[in-house]
Amino acid sequence: MLNYLAFAVATANIVAGIRIALAALALICIGFIIFVVMKQSGNSDGTEAFTGSSSKSDESETYYGQNAGSRKEARLKLLTYIAAGVFAVCCIVMLILQAVL
């Protein structure tokens, strides 16, 4: 009987540690998602055509410069998807652990 009780307490402590680690990872993911989304540029609504302003600079004259923005946006979008996936997995695992104990 004491063996079972000791095993139950040890298991509860391990699960509590896992839940704390998952909660910390979820908070880190949320902060990272907020940072990455704020860093992404918004979609243009086309008002540059009316005002005559242009966002092109001298570095956009080369092929690398023309595609640098799209590569950066694609990388930020991919990082957003990865962080959101990790956050979702953390939440699902925490719900499963909560239902088990």
Side-chain angles (χ1 to χ4, degrees):
M1 183 72 171
L2 286 177
N3 254 348
Y4 177 73
L5 185 60
F7 177 74
V9 170
T11 304
N13 288 337
I14 291 171
V15 170
I18 292 172
R19 286 179 62 193
I20 290 171
L22 287 172
L25 183 62
L27 286 174
I28 291 169
C29 285
I30 288 299
F32 184 75
I33 289 172
I34 290 170
F35 174 74
V36 171
V37 168
M38 294 298 288
K39 195 165 169 87
Q40 292 177 7
S41 64
N43 293 338
S44 173
D45 58 356
T47 57
E48 292 87 12
F50 292 120
T51 61
S53 65
S54 175
S55 62
K56 295 192 183 258
S57 62
D58 290 336
E59 71 180 28
S60 67
E61 298 294 326
T62 66
Y63 179 75
Y64 179 78
Q66 288 176 346
N67 295 321
S70 64
R71 283 192 306 269
K72 179 182 174 188
E73 290 297 321
R75 192 176 330 124
L76 289 175
K77 187 182 282 190
L78 178 66
L79 288 173
T80 304
Y81 290 148
I82 291 171
V86 170
F87 174 71
V89 169
C90 285
C91 290
I92 290 170
V93 171
M94 284 194 310
L95 285 173
I96 291 171
L97 287 177
Q98 183 178 0
V100 169
L101 292 178

Coordinates of all heavy atoms in Angstrom, one line a residue:
M1 N 0.8 -1.2 0.0 CA 0.0 0.0 0.0 C 0.9 1.3 0.0 O 0.6 2.2 -0.7 CB -0.9 0.0 1.2 CG -1.9 1.1 1.3 SD -3.1 0.9 0.0 CE -4.2 2.1 0.4
L2 N 1.9 1.2 0.8 CA 2.8 2.4 0.8 C 3.6 2.6 -0.5 O 3.8 3.7 -0.9 CB 3.8 2.3 2.0 CG 3.2 2.6 3.4 CD1 4.2 2.3 4.5 CD2 2.6 3.9 3.5
N3 N 3.9 1.5 -1.1 CA 4.5 1.5 -2.4 C 3.6 2.2 -3.4 O 4.1 3.1 -4.2 CB 4.9 0.1 -2.9 CG 6.3 -0.2 -2.8 OD1 7.1 0.7 -2.6 ND2 6.7 -1.4 -3.0
Y4 N 2.4 1.9 -3.5 CA 1.4 2.5 -4.4 C 1.3 4.0 -4.1 O 1.2 4.8 -5.0 CB 0.1 1.8 -4.3 CG -1.0 2.5 -5.2 CD1 -0.9 2.3 -6.5 CD2 -2.0 3.3 -4.6 CE1 -1.9 2.9 -7.4 CE2 -2.9 3.9 -5.4 CZ -2.8 3.7 -6.8 OH -3.8 4.3 -7.6
L5 N 1.2 4.4 -2.8 CA 1.1 5.8 -2.4 C 2.3 6.6 -2.8 O 2.2 7.7 -3.3 CB 0.9 5.9 -0.9 CG 0.6 7.3 -0.4 CD1 -0.7 7.9 -1.0 CD2 0.4 7.2 1.1
A6 N 3.5 6.0 -2.6 CA 4.7 6.7 -3.0 C 4.8 6.8 -4.5 O 5.2 7.9 -5.0 CB 5.9 5.9 -2.5
F7 N 4.4 5.8 -5.3 CA 4.3 5.9 -6.7 C 3.4 7.0 -7.2 O 3.7 7.7 -8.1 CB 4.0 4.5 -7.3 CG 3.9 4.6 -8.8 CD1 5.0 4.6 -9.6 CD2 2.6 4.5 -9.4 CE1 4.9 4.6 -11.0 CE2 2.5 4.6 -10.8 CZ 3.7 4.6 -11.6
A8 N 2.2 7.1 -6.6 CA 1.2 8.1 -6.9 C 1.7 9.5 -6.7 O 1.5 10.4 -7.5 CB -0.1 7.8 -6.2
V9 N 2.4 9.7 -5.6 CA 2.9 11.0 -5.2 C 4.0 11.4 -6.2 O 4.1 12.5 -6.7 CB 3.4 11.0 -3.8 CG1 4.2 12.3 -3.5 CG2 2.3 10.9 -2.8
A10 N 4.9 10.4 -6.5 CA 6.0 10.7 -7.5 C 5.5 11.0 -8.9 O 5.9 11.9 -9.5 CB 7.0 9.5 -7.5
T11 N 4.4 10.3 -9.3 CA 3.8 10.5 -10.6 C 3.2 11.9 -10.6 O 3.3 12.6 -11.6 CB 2.8 9.4 -10.9 OG1 3.4 8.1 -10.8 CG2 2.2 9.6 -12.3
A12 N 2.5 12.2 -9.5 CA 1.8 13.6 -9.5 C 2.9 14.7 -9.5 O 2.6 15.7 -10.2 CB 1.0 13.7 -8.2
N13 N 4.0 14.5 -8.9 CA 5.1 15.5 -8.9 C 5.7 15.6 -10.3 O 5.9 16.7 -10.8 CB 6.2 15.2 -7.9 CG 5.7 15.4 -6.5 OD1 4.8 16.2 -6.2 ND2 6.4 14.8 -5.6
I14 N 5.8 14.5 -11.0 CA 6.4 14.5 -12.4 C 5.4 15.2 -13.3 O 5.8 16.1 -14.1 CB 6.7 13.1 -12.8 CG1 7.9 12.6 -12.1 CG2 7.0 13.1 -14.3 CD1 8.2 11.1 -12.3
V15 N 4.1 14.9 -13.2 CA 3.1 15.5 -14.0 C 3.0 17.0 -13.8 O 2.9 17.8 -14.7 CB 1.7 14.8 -13.9 CG1 0.6 15.6 -14.5 CG2 1.8 13.4 -14.4
A16 N 3.1 17.4 -12.5 CA 3.1 18.8 -12.2 C 4.3 19.5 -12.8 O 4.1 20.7 -13.3 CB 3.1 19.0 -10.6
G17 N 5.4 18.9 -12.7 CA 6.6 19.5 -13.4 C 6.4 19.7 -14.9 O 6.8 20.7 -15.5
I18 N 5.9 18.6 -15.5 CA 5.6 18.7 -16.9 C 4.6 19.8 -17.3 O 4.8 20.5 -18.3 CB 5.2 17.3 -17.5 CG1 6.3 16.3 -17.4 CG2 4.7 17.4 -18.9 CD1 5.9 14.9 -17.7
R19 N 3.6 19.9 -16.5 CA 2.6 21.0 -16.7 C 3.2 22.3 -16.6 O 2.9 23.3 -17.3 CB 1.4 20.8 -15.8 CG 0.5 19.6 -16.2 CD -0.6 19.4 -15.3 NE -1.5 20.5 -15.3 CZ -2.5 20.8 -14.4 NH1 -2.7 19.9 -13.4 NH2 -3.2 21.8 -14.5
I20 N 4.1 22.5 -15.6 CA 4.7 23.8 -15.4 C 5.6 24.1 -16.6 O 5.6 25.2 -17.1 CB 5.5 23.9 -14.1 CG1 4.5 23.9 -12.9 CG2 6.4 25.1 -14.0 CD1 5.2 23.7 -11.6
A21 N 6.4 23.1 -17.1 CA 7.2 23.3 -18.2 C 6.4 23.6 -19.5 O 6.8 24.5 -20.3 CB 8.1 22.1 -18.4
L22 N 5.3 22.9 -19.7 CA 4.5 23.2 -20.8 C 3.8 24.6 -20.8 O 3.7 25.3 -21.8 CB 3.4 22.1 -21.0 CG 3.8 20.8 -21.4 CD1 2.7 19.8 -21.3 CD2 4.3 20.8 -22.9
A23 N 3.4 25.0 -19.6 CA 2.9 26.4 -19.4 C 3.9 27.4 -19.7 O 3.6 28.4 -20.4 CB 2.3 26.5 -18.0
A24 N 5.2 27.2 -19.3 CA 6.2 28.2 -19.6 C 6.5 28.2 -21.1 O 6.7 29.3 -21.6 CB 7.5 27.8 -18.8
L25 N 6.5 27.0 -21.7 CA 6.8 27.0 -23.2 C 5.6 27.7 -23.9 O 5.9 28.4 -24.9 CB 6.9 25.5 -23.6 CG 7.2 25.3 -25.1 CD1 8.6 26.0 -25.5 CD2 7.3 23.8 -25.4
A26 N 4.4 27.5 -23.4 CA 3.3 28.1 -24.1 C 3.4 29.7 -23.9 O 3.1 30.4 -24.9 CB 2.0 27.6 -23.5
L27 N 3.8 30.2 -22.8 CA 3.9 31.6 -22.6 C 5.0 32.2 -23.5 O 4.9 33.2 -24.1 CB 4.2 31.9 -21.1 CG 3.0 31.8 -20.2 CD1 3.5 32.0 -18.8 CD2 2.0 32.9 -20.6
I28 N 6.1 31.4 -23.6 CA 7.2 31.8 -24.5 C 6.7 31.9 -26.0 O 7.0 32.8 -26.7 CB 8.4 30.9 -24.4 CG1 9.1 31.1 -23.0 CG2 9.4 31.1 -25.5 CD1 10.1 30.1 -22.6
C29 N 5.9 30.9 -26.4 CA 5.4 30.8 -27.7 C 4.5 32.0 -28.0 O 4.5 32.6 -29.1 CB 4.7 29.5 -28.0 SG 5.7 28.1 -28.2
I30 N 3.6 32.3 -27.0 CA 2.7 33.5 -27.2 C 3.5 34.8 -27.3 O 3.2 35.6 -28.2 CB 1.7 33.5 -26.0 CG1 0.7 32.4 -26.1 CG2 1.0 34.8 -25.9 CD1 -0.1 32.4 -27.4
G31 N 4.5 35.0 -26.5 CA 5.3 36.2 -26.6 C 6.0 36.3 -27.9 O 6.1 37.3 -28.6
F32 N 6.5 35.1 -28.4 CA 7.2 35.1 -29.7 C 6.2 35.4 -30.8 O 6.5 36.1 -31.8 CB 7.8 33.7 -29.9 CG 8.6 33.6 -31.2 CD1 9.8 34.2 -31.3 CD2 8.1 32.9 -32.2 CE1 10.6 34.1 -32.5 CE2 8.9 32.8 -33.4 CZ 10.1 33.4 -33.5
I33 N 5.0 34.8 -30.8 CA 4.0 35.0 -31.8 C 3.6 36.5 -31.8 O 3.5 37.1 -32.9 CB 2.7 34.2 -31.6 CG1 3.0 32.7 -31.9 CG2 1.5 34.7 -32.4 CD1 1.9 31.8 -31.5
I34 N 3.4 37.1 -30.7 CA 3.1 38.6 -30.7 C 4.2 39.4 -31.3 O 4.0 40.3 -32.1 CB 2.8 39.0 -29.2 CG1 1.5 38.4 -28.7 CG2 2.8 40.5 -29.1 CD1 1.3 38.6 -27.2
F35 N 5.5 39.0 -30.9 CA 6.6 39.8 -31.5 C 6.7 39.6 -33.0 O 6.9 40.6 -33.7 CB 7.9 39.3 -30.8 CG 9.2 39.8 -31.4 CD1 9.5 41.1 -31.2 CD2 10.0 39.1 -32.3 CE1 10.7 41.7 -31.7 CE2 11.1 39.6 -32.8 CZ 11.5 40.9 -32.6
V36 N 6.6 38.4 -33.5 CA 6.7 38.1 -34.9 C 5.6 38.8 -35.7 O 5.8 39.3 -36.8 CB 6.8 36.6 -35.2 CG1 6.7 36.3 -36.7 CG2 8.1 36.0 -34.6
V37 N 4.3 38.7 -35.2 CA 3.2 39.3 -35.9 C 3.4 40.8 -35.9 O 3.1 41.5 -37.0 CB 1.9 38.9 -35.3 CG1 0.7 39.7 -35.8 CG2 1.6 37.4 -35.5
M38 N 3.9 41.4 -34.9 CA 4.1 42.9 -34.9 C 5.2 43.3 -35.8 O 5.2 44.4 -36.3 CB 4.4 43.4 -33.4 CG 3.2 43.2 -32.5 SD 1.8 44.2 -33.0 CE 2.3 45.8 -32.6
K39 N 6.1 42.4 -36.0 CA 7.3 42.7 -36.9 C 6.9 42.6 -38.4 O 7.5 43.2 -39.2 CB 8.4 41.7 -36.6 CG 9.7 42.1 -37.2 CD 10.8 41.3 -36.5 CE 12.1 41.5 -37.2 NZ 12.9 42.6 -36.8
Q40 N 5.8 41.8 -38.7 CA 5.4 41.7 -40.1 C 4.8 42.9 -40.6 O 4.1 43.6 -39.8 CB 4.4 40.5 -40.2 CG 5.0 39.2 -40.0 CD 4.0 38.1 -40.1 OE1 2.9 38.3 -40.4 NE2 4.4 36.9 -39.7
S41 N 5.0 43.2 -41.8 CA 4.3 44.4 -42.4 C 2.9 44.1 -42.8 O 2.6 43.0 -43.2 CB 5.1 44.9 -43.6 OG 5.1 44.0 -44.6
G42 N 2.1 45.1 -42.7 CA 0.7 44.9 -43.1 C 0.5 44.8 -44.6 O 1.3 45.3 -45.4
N43 N -0.6 44.3 -45.0 CA -1.0 44.3 -46.4 C -1.3 45.7 -46.9 O -2.0 46.5 -46.2 CB -2.1 43.4 -46.7 CG -1.8 42.0 -46.5 OD1 -0.6 41.6 -46.5 ND2 -2.8 41.1 -46.2
S44 N -0.8 46.1 -48.0 CA -1.1 47.5 -48.5 C -2.5 47.5 -49.1 O -3.0 46.6 -49.7 CB -0.1 47.8 -49.6 OG -0.4 49.0 -50.2
D45 N -3.1 48.7 -48.8 CA -4.5 48.8 -49.4 C -4.5 49.5 -50.7 O -5.6 49.9 -51.2 CB -5.4 49.5 -48.3 CG -4.9 50.9 -48.0 OD1 -3.8 51.3 -48.5 OD2 -5.5 51.6 -47.2
G46 N -3.4 49.8 -51.3 CA -3.3 50.4 -52.6 C -3.3 51.9 -52.6 O -3.5 52.5 -53.7
T47 N -3.2 52.6 -51.5 CA -3.3 54.0 -51.5 C -2.0 54.7 -52.1 O -2.0 55.9 -52.3 CB -3.5 54.6 -50.1 OG1 -2.5 54.1 -49.2 CG2 -4.9 54.1 -49.6
E48 N -0.9 53.9 -52.3 CA 0.3 54.4 -52.8 C 0.1 55.0 -54.2 O 0.7 55.9 -54.7 CB 1.4 53.4 -52.8 CG 1.9 53.0 -51.5 CD 1.1 51.9 -50.9 OE1 0.3 51.3 -51.6 OE2 1.3 51.6 -49.7
A49 N -0.8 54.4 -55.0 CA -1.1 54.8 -56.3 C -1.7 56.2 -56.3 O -1.5 57.0 -57.2 CB -2.1 53.8 -57.0
F50 N -2.5 56.5 -55.3 CA -3.2 57.8 -55.2 C -2.2 58.9 -54.8 O -2.2 60.0 -55.3 CB -4.4 57.8 -54.3 CG -5.5 57.0 -54.7 CD1 -5.9 55.9 -54.0 CD2 -6.1 57.2 -55.9 CE1 -7.0 55.1 -54.4 CE2 -7.2 56.5 -56.4 CZ -7.6 55.4 -55.6
T51 N -1.3 58.6 -53.9 CA -0.4 59.6 -53.3 C 0.8 59.7 -54.1 O 1.6 60.7 -54.0 CB -0.1 59.3 -51.9 OG1 0.6 58.0 -51.8 CG2 -1.3 59.2 -51.0
G52 N 1.2 58.7 -54.9 CA 2.4 58.8 -55.7 C 3.6 58.4 -54.9 O 4.7 58.4 -55.4
S53 N 3.4 57.9 -53.7 CA 4.6 57.5 -52.9 C 5.0 56.1 -53.3 O 4.2 55.3 -53.8 CB 4.2 57.6 -51.4 OG 3.2 56.6 -51.1
S54 N 6.2 55.8 -53.1 CA 6.8 54.5 -53.5 C 7.6 54.0 -52.3 O 8.4 54.8 -51.7 CB 7.6 54.6 -54.8 OG 8.2 53.4 -55.0
S55 N 7.5 52.7 -52.1 CA 8.3 52.2 -51.0 C 9.6 51.6 -51.5 O 10.4 50.9 -50.8 CB 7.5 51.1 -50.2 OG 7.2 50.1 -51.1
K56 N 9.9 51.8 -52.8 CA 11.2 51.2 -53.4 C 12.3 52.1 -53.0 O 12.3 53.3 -53.0 CB 11.0 51.1 -54.9 CG 10.0 50.1 -55.3 CD 10.1 49.8 -56.8 CE 8.9 48.9 -57.2 NZ 9.3 47.6 -57.3
S57 N 13.4 51.4 -52.7 CA 14.7 52.1 -52.4 C 15.8 51.7 -53.4 O 15.5 50.9 -54.3 CB 15.1 51.8 -50.9 OG 15.3 50.5 -50.8
D58 N 17.0 52.2 -53.1 CA 18.1 51.9 -54.0 C 18.4 50.4 -54.0 O 18.9 49.9 -55.0 CB 19.3 52.7 -53.7 CG 19.1 54.2 -54.0 OD1 18.2 54.4 -54.9 OD2 19.7 55.0 -53.4
E59 N 18.3 49.8 -52.9 CA 18.7 48.4 -52.8 C 17.7 47.4 -53.5 O 18.0 46.3 -53.7 CB 18.8 47.9 -51.3 CG 17.5 47.8 -50.6 CD 17.7 47.4 -49.1 OE1 18.8 47.7 -48.6 OE2 16.8 46.8 -48.6
S60 N 16.5 48.0 -53.9 CA 15.6 47.1 -54.7 C 15.9 47.0 -56.1 O 15.2 46.4 -56.9 CB 14.2 47.6 -54.5 OG 14.0 48.9 -55.1
E61 N 17.0 47.7 -56.5 CA 17.4 47.6 -57.9 C 18.0 46.3 -58.3 O 17.9 45.9 -59.5 CB 18.5 48.8 -58.2 CG 18.0 50.2 -58.0 CD 16.9 50.5 -59.0 OE1 16.9 50.1 -60.1 OE2 16.0 51.3 -58.6
T62 N 18.6 45.6 -57.4 CA 19.2 44.3 -57.7 C 18.1 43.2 -57.5 O 17.1 43.4 -56.9 CB 20.4 44.0 -56.8 OG1 19.9 43.9 -55.4 CG2 21.4 45.1 -56.9
Y63 N 18.4 42.0 -58.0 CA 17.5 40.9 -57.9 C 17.4 40.5 -56.4 O 16.3 40.2 -55.9 CB 18.0 39.7 -58.7 CG 17.1 38.5 -58.5 CD1 15.9 38.4 -59.2 CD2 17.5 37.4 -57.7 CE1 15.1 37.3 -59.1 CE2 16.7 36.3 -57.6 CZ 15.5 36.3 -58.3 OH 14.7 35.2 -58.2
Y64 N 18.5 40.5 -55.7 CA 18.4 40.2 -54.2 C 17.6 41.2 -53.5 O 16.8 40.9 -52.6 CB 19.9 40.2 -53.6 CG 19.9 39.9 -52.2 CD1 19.7 38.6 -51.7 CD2 20.0 40.9 -51.2 CE1 19.7 38.3 -50.4 CE2 20.0 40.6 -49.9 CZ 19.9 39.3 -49.5 OH 19.8 39.0 -48.2
G65 N 17.7 42.5 -53.8 CA 16.9 43.5 -53.2 C 15.5 43.4 -53.5 O 14.6 43.7 -52.6
Q66 N 15.1 43.0 -54.7 CA 13.7 42.9 -55.1 C 13.0 41.8 -54.3 O 11.8 41.9 -54.0 CB 13.6 42.6 -56.6 CG 13.9 43.8 -57.4 CD 13.9 43.4 -58.9 OE1 13.9 42.2 -59.3 NE2 13.9 44.4 -59.8
N67 N 13.7 40.7 -54.0 CA 13.1 39.6 -53.3 C 13.4 39.5 -51.8 O 12.9 38.6 -51.1 CB 13.5 38.3 -54.0 CG 13.1 38.2 -55.4 OD1 11.9 38.6 -55.7 ND2 13.9 37.7 -56.3
A68 N 14.2 40.5 -51.3 CA 14.5 40.4 -49.9 C 13.3 40.6 -49.0 O 13.2 39.9 -48.0 CB 15.5 41.5 -49.5
G69 N 12.4 41.4 -49.4 CA 11.2 41.6 -48.5 C 10.3 40.4 -48.5 O 9.8 40.0 -47.5
S70 N 10.1 39.8 -49.7 CA 9.3 38.6 -49.7 C 9.9 37.4 -49.0 O 9.2 36.7 -48.4 CB 9.0 38.2 -51.2 OG 10.1 37.9 -51.8
R71 N 11.2 37.3 -49.0 CA 11.9 36.2 -48.3 C 11.7 36.5 -46.8 O 11.5 35.5 -46.0 CB 13.3 36.1 -48.6 CG 13.6 35.5 -50.0 CD 15.0 35.1 -50.1 NE 15.9 36.3 -49.9 CZ 16.3 37.1 -50.9 NH1 15.9 36.9 -52.1 NH2 17.1 38.1 -50.6
K72 N 11.9 37.7 -46.4 CA 11.7 38.0 -44.9 C 10.3 37.8 -44.5 O 10.1 37.2 -43.4 CB 12.1 39.5 -44.7 CG 12.0 39.9 -43.3 CD 12.3 41.4 -43.1 CE 12.1 41.8 -41.7 NZ 12.2 43.3 -41.6
E73 N 9.3 38.2 -45.3 CA 7.9 38.0 -44.9 C 7.6 36.5 -44.9 O 6.9 36.0 -44.0 CB 7.0 38.7 -45.9 CG 7.0 40.2 -45.8 CD 6.5 40.7 -44.4 OE1 5.6 40.1 -43.9 OE2 7.2 41.6 -43.9
A74 N 8.1 35.7 -45.8 CA 7.9 34.3 -45.8 C 8.5 33.6 -44.6 O 7.9 32.7 -44.0 CB 8.4 33.7 -47.1
R75 N 9.7 34.0 -44.2 CA 10.3 33.5 -43.0 C 9.5 33.8 -41.8 O 9.3 33.0 -40.9 CB 11.8 34.0 -42.9 CG 12.6 33.3 -41.9 CD 14.0 33.7 -41.9 NE 14.6 34.2 -43.1 CZ 15.1 35.4 -43.4 NH1 15.3 36.2 -42.4 NH2 15.5 35.7 -44.5
L76 N 9.1 35.0 -41.7 CA 8.3 35.4 -40.5 C 7.0 34.7 -40.4 O 6.5 34.3 -39.4 CB 8.0 37.0 -40.5 CG 9.2 37.8 -40.2 CD1 8.9 39.3 -40.4 CD2 9.8 37.6 -38.8
K77 N 6.3 34.5 -41.6 CA 5.1 33.7 -41.6 C 5.3 32.3 -41.2 O 4.5 31.7 -40.5 CB 4.5 33.7 -43.1 CG 3.1 33.1 -43.1 CD 2.6 33.1 -44.6 CE 2.1 34.5 -44.9 NZ 1.3 34.5 -46.2
L78 N 6.4 31.7 -41.7 CA 6.8 30.3 -41.3 C 7.0 30.2 -39.8 O 6.5 29.3 -39.1 CB 8.0 29.8 -42.1 CG 8.5 28.4 -41.7 CD1 7.4 27.4 -42.1 CD2 9.8 28.1 -42.4
L79 N 7.7 31.2 -39.2 CA 8.0 31.2 -37.8 C 6.7 31.3 -37.0 O 6.5 30.7 -35.9 CB 9.0 32.3 -37.4 CG 10.4 32.1 -37.9 CD1 11.2 33.3 -37.6 CD2 11.0 30.9 -37.1
T80 N 5.8 32.1 -37.5 CA 4.5 32.3 -36.9 C 3.7 30.9 -36.9 O 3.1 30.6 -35.8 CB 3.6 33.3 -37.6 OG1 4.4 34.6 -37.6 CG2 2.3 33.6 -36.9
Y81 N 3.7 30.2 -38.0 CA 3.0 28.9 -38.0 C 3.7 27.9 -37.1 O 3.0 27.2 -36.4 CB 3.0 28.4 -39.5 CG 2.2 29.1 -40.4 CD1 2.5 29.2 -41.8 CD2 1.0 29.7 -40.1 CE1 1.7 29.9 -42.7 CE2 0.2 30.4 -41.0 CZ 0.6 30.5 -42.3 OH -0.2 31.1 -43.1
I82 N 5.0 27.9 -37.0 CA 5.7 26.9 -36.2 C 5.4 27.2 -34.7 O 5.0 26.3 -33.9 CB 7.2 26.9 -36.4 CG1 7.5 26.3 -37.8 CG2 7.9 26.2 -35.3 CD1 8.9 26.5 -38.3
A83 N 5.4 28.5 -34.3 CA 5.2 28.9 -32.9 C 3.7 28.6 -32.6 O 3.4 28.2 -31.4 CB 5.5 30.4 -32.7
A84 N 2.8 28.9 -33.5 CA 1.4 28.6 -33.2 C 1.1 27.1 -33.1 O 0.4 26.6 -32.2 CB 0.5 29.2 -34.3
G85 N 1.8 26.3 -33.9 CA 1.7 24.8 -33.8 C 2.2 24.3 -32.4 O 1.6 23.5 -31.8
V86 N 3.4 24.8 -32.0 CA 4.0 24.4 -30.7 C 3.0 24.8 -29.6 O 2.8 24.1 -28.6 CB 5.4 25.0 -30.5 CG1 5.9 24.8 -29.1 CG2 6.3 24.4 -31.5
F87 N 2.5 26.0 -29.7 CA 1.5 26.5 -28.7 C 0.3 25.6 -28.6 O -0.2 25.2 -27.5 CB 1.1 27.9 -29.0 CG 0.0 28.4 -28.0 CD1 0.3 28.7 -26.7 CD2 -1.3 28.6 -28.5 CE1 -0.7 29.2 -25.9 CE2 -2.2 29.1 -27.6 CZ -2.0 29.4 -26.3
A88 N -0.2 25.2 -29.8 CA -1.4 24.3 -29.8 C -1.1 23.0 -29.2 O -1.9 22.4 -28.4 CB -1.9 24.2 -31.2
V89 N 0.1 22.4 -29.5 CA 0.4 21.1 -29.0 C 0.6 21.2 -27.5 O 0.1 20.3 -26.7 CB 1.7 20.6 -29.6 CG1 2.3 19.4 -28.9 CG2 1.4 20.2 -31.1
C90 N 1.2 22.3 -27.0 CA 1.3 22.5 -25.5 C 0.0 22.5 -24.8 O -0.2 21.9 -23.8 CB 2.1 23.8 -25.2 SG 3.9 23.7 -25.5
C91 N -1.0 23.3 -25.4 CA -2.3 23.4 -24.8 C -3.0 22.0 -24.8 O -3.6 21.6 -23.8 CB -3.1 24.4 -25.6 SG -2.5 26.1 -25.3
I92 N -2.9 21.3 -25.9 CA -3.6 20.0 -26.0 C -3.0 19.0 -25.0 O -3.7 18.3 -24.3 CB -3.5 19.4 -27.4 CG1 -4.4 20.2 -28.4 CG2 -3.9 17.9 -27.5 CD1 -4.1 19.9 -29.8
V93 N -1.7 19.0 -24.8 CA -1.0 18.1 -23.9 C -1.4 18.5 -22.5 O -1.6 17.6 -21.6 CB 0.5 18.1 -24.1 CG1 1.2 17.3 -23.0 CG2 0.9 17.4 -25.4
M94 N -1.4 19.8 -22.2 CA -1.8 20.2 -20.8 C -3.3 19.8 -20.5 O -3.6 19.4 -19.4 CB -1.7 21.7 -20.7 CG -0.2 22.1 -20.5 SD 0.1 23.8 -19.9 CE -0.9 24.8 -21.0
L95 N -4.2 19.9 -21.5 CA -5.6 19.5 -21.3 C -5.6 17.9 -21.0 O -6.4 17.5 -20.2 CB -6.4 19.8 -22.5 CG -6.8 21.3 -22.6 CD1 -7.5 21.6 -23.9 CD2 -7.7 21.7 -21.4
I96 N -4.8 17.2 -21.8 CA -4.8 15.7 -21.6 C -4.3 15.4 -20.2 O -4.8 14.6 -19.5 CB -4.0 15.0 -22.7 CG1 -4.7 15.1 -24.0 CG2 -3.7 13.6 -22.3 CD1 -3.9 14.7 -25.2
L97 N -3.2 16.1 -19.8 CA -2.7 15.8 -18.4 C -3.6 16.2 -17.3 O -3.7 15.6 -16.3 CB -1.3 16.6 -18.3 CG -0.1 16.0 -19.0 CD1 1.1 16.9 -18.8 CD2 0.2 14.6 -18.6
Q98 N -4.4 17.3 -17.6 CA -5.4 17.7 -16.6 C -6.5 16.7 -16.5 O -7.0 16.4 -15.4 CB -5.9 19.1 -16.9 CG -6.9 19.6 -15.9 CD -7.4 21.0 -16.3 OE1 -7.0 21.5 -17.4 NE2 -8.3 21.6 -15.5
A99 N -6.9 16.1 -17.6 CA -8.0 15.1 -17.6 C -7.5 13.8 -16.9 O -8.3 13.1 -16.3 CB -8.5 14.9 -19.0
V100 N -6.3 13.5 -17.1 CA -5.8 12.2 -16.5 C -5.7 12.3 -15.0 O -6.0 11.4 -14.3 CB -4.4 11.9 -17.1 CG1 -3.7 10.8 -16.4 CG2 -4.5 11.6 -18.6
L101 N -5.2 13.4 -14.5 CA -5.1 13.5 -13.0 C -6.1 14.4 -12.4 O -6.4 15.5 -12.6 CB -3.6 14.0 -12.7 CG -2.6 12.9 -13.0 CD1 -1.2 13.5 -12.6 CD2 -2.8 11.7 -12.2

